[in-house]
Amino acid sequence: MFIKIILVSGLVTAGLLLMVLTTYEPGSIGAVGILAVFFLGYLTVLCSLTLALWVLKRILDRVTLKSSFLRWVSRLGPKEVYYYSSVLAIAPVVLISLKSVGSIGFYEIMLVVLFEILGCVYVAKRAT
């Protein structure tokens, strides 16, 4: 049921994001509109990433579990997959926002990767 809610909300947010992007111009949408675009973008990436990781987890469930990492992945539930997805989904939004105020270099990308690693470690410690 949780995955179905994620699927429906992902489709709704993707539709709203598409509507906002095709209806308004960036110069005339204002600050609240830009915030809405980033928020809808985050929710769209979050829902699609959650579904993709859940499908990958289900595929790995069918594989013979010989390594300890695969056994750990097979024990994840839908909420834990959602927690990891919520951390990973912020990376594209951060990179787009960095690009909007300047350029993205190796240093910025490495900081975002470090942030993602720390976020996943935090989720791993809190979820168990």
Side-chain angles (χ1 to χ4, degrees), residues 58-78:
R58 297 291 294 208
I59 290 171
L60 288 177
D61 284 346
R62 308 246 190 267
V63 176
T64 306
L65 304 174
K66 294 186 181 194
S67 72
S68 62
F69 176 73
L70 290 178
R71 275 187 243 126
W72 173 77
V73 170
S74 70
R75 287 192 301 253
L76 291 176

Side-chain angles (χ1 to χ4, degrees), residues 66-121:
K66 294 186 181 194
S67 72
S68 62
F69 176 73
L70 290 178
R71 275 187 243 126
W72 173 77
V73 170
S74 70
R75 287 192 301 253
L76 291 176
K79 288 188 180 178
E80 287 86 9
V81 171
Y82 176 75
Y83 295 154
Y84 283 107
S85 297
S86 65
V87 171
L88 296 174
I90 197 70
V93 176
V94 169
L95 290 174
I96 290 170
S97 62
L98 283 173
K99 181 64 177 167
S100 70
V101 295
S103 64
I104 300 175
F106 179 74
Y107 180 71
E108 289 84 7
I109 291 174
M110 293 313 303
L111 285 176
V112 171
V113 168
L114 178 66
F115 173 73
E116 294 296 317
I117 291 170
L118 289 174
C120 287
V121 167

Side-chain angles (χ1 to χ4, degrees), residues 15-37:
L16 287 173
L17 180 64
L18 186 62
M19 184 191 73
V20 169
L21 289 176
T22 57
T23 305
Y24 299 102
E25 295 179 11
S28 66
I29 196 168
V32 175
I34 298 297
L35 180 65
V37 167

